[in-house]
Amino acid sequence: MRLPRSWLQKFLPISLSSQEIALHLQNAGIEVDSIEEIRPKFSNIIVGKVQEVQKHPNADRLVIAKVFDGKETIQVVCVASNCREGILVPFAKIGSKVSGLVLKQVQLKGVDSFGMLLAADEMGLEEKSDGIFELDSSLCPGQSLDELYTDDVFELSLTPDFGHALSVLGIARLLSMRVGGKVHIPVNSFESLSELATLKEKWSVEIEDSTICP
């Protein structure tokens, strides 16, 4: 069973290191085969909010975006067609590392650009993507994306008598008995329930054999 630390934290917020968590799990009878460290291929990338978009005076495909980094508004020249006012995007400021290169100030068609708005493939999150990566609206300008995409994944071996631990909630409950803390069940919400009502119109499910699939 693979258990991301970030997922576990949503059920049981704790400040222990991954190695300490693994030790507590092993003492509780759960074998931890390994801890996989997931680290992003970028650094110093933050959440930016596009506050304003203007056409580039010297290039039809380029736009000039005013991006708020949580403290100040910075000018960025962007080629992405989905760059528009109000969205949250990955923002690489001068000095950030993207695809192994340190970002510098550049001038594009006569206009200075003091950063870069990133697509998912430029961050190493997808093989190929179109346009800049639009982030979830719950994030805040200035928030570090390095931390958001950094995680540890526990590889667990569970014996048949540990059926109560075959879920993130089960692991969180077991761990809370050893380290303390209150287990929380995350509440998911949907922005638009009306979209769910149309699912039956798009897809249907047919059971071909009710004997093996009652």
Side-chain angles (χ1 to χ4, degrees):
M1 173 176 163
R2 290 173 60 80
L3 174 66
R5 179 192 172 101
S6 59
W7 201 355
L8 178 63
Q9 289 281 150
K10 292 181 179 180
F11 288 81
L12 182 65
I14 51 178
S15 58
L16 299 176
S17 68
S18 295
Q19 288 71 25
E20 289 173 325
I21 292 175
L23 181 60
H24 280 292
L25 291 176
Q26 288 176 333
N27 289 336
I30 297 179
E31 183 176 349
V32 181
D33 295 330
S34 63
I35 303 176
E36 179 185 355
E37 296 182 349
I38 298 177
R39 302 293 181 263
K41 299 179 180 179
F42 54 83
S43 63
N44 299 324
I45 306 301
I46 63 173
V47 177
K49 183 174 184 178
V50 180
Q51 294 185 318
E52 180 183 340
V53 178
Q54 299 176 345
K55 291 184 178 180
H56 194 293
N58 305 318
D60 294 335
R61 295 185 59 193
L62 298 177
V63 296
I64 303 173
K66 302 294 185 180
V67 183
F68 181 59
D69 69 349
K71 296 181 179 179
E72 59 181 335
T73 300
I74 301 172
Q75 177 175 287
V76 178
V77 178
C78 181
V79 70
S81 59
N82 64 327
C83 183
R84 63 189 186 279
E85 181 181 336
I87 62 174
L88 298 178
V89 295
F91 180 32
K93 300 172 68 175
I94 303 302
S96 301
K97 186 177 181 181
V98 181
S99 301
L101 301 175
V102 178
L103 201 64
K104 299 180 180 179
Q105 178 184 339
V106 296
Q107 190 176 84
L108 299 173
K109 298 292 183 178
V111 177
D112 290 327
S113 181
F114 300 92
M116 183 177 179
L117 307 184
L118 302 175
D121 56 358
E122 292 170 324
M123 300 171 66
L125 303 178
E126 295 180 358
E127 291 186 3
K128 185 177 181 181
S129 55
D130 296 323
I132 50 178
F133 186 19
E134 298 186 30
L135 299 172
D136 189 273
S137 59
S138 64
L139 300 177
C140 299
Q143 184 175 348
S144 171
L145 290 180
D146 300 41
E147 298 177 2
L148 190 64
Y149 287 95
T150 295
D151 208 350
D152 289 335
V153 179
F154 301 95
E155 186 74 40
L156 309 179
S157 291
L158 298 173
T159 53
D161 57 324
F162 272 82
H164 58 284
L166 283 171
S167 65
V168 182
L169 176 58
I171 294 292
R173 284 173 172 167
L174 190 66
L175 192 58
S176 69
M177 289 188 292
R178 297 191 58 85
V179 302
K182 185 177 180 180
V183 175
H184 302 275
I185 300 179
V187 177
N188 296 317
S189 61
F190 296 93
E191 294 183 2
S192 176
L193 292 176
S194 60
E195 296 180 2
L196 300 179
T198 63
L199 291 180
K200 290 184 178 180
E201 300 175 3
K202 297 180 180 180
W203 296 284
S204 61
V205 177
E206 180 181 355
I207 300 178
E208 297 181 351
D209 192 333
S210 58
T211 301
I212 61 175
C213 185

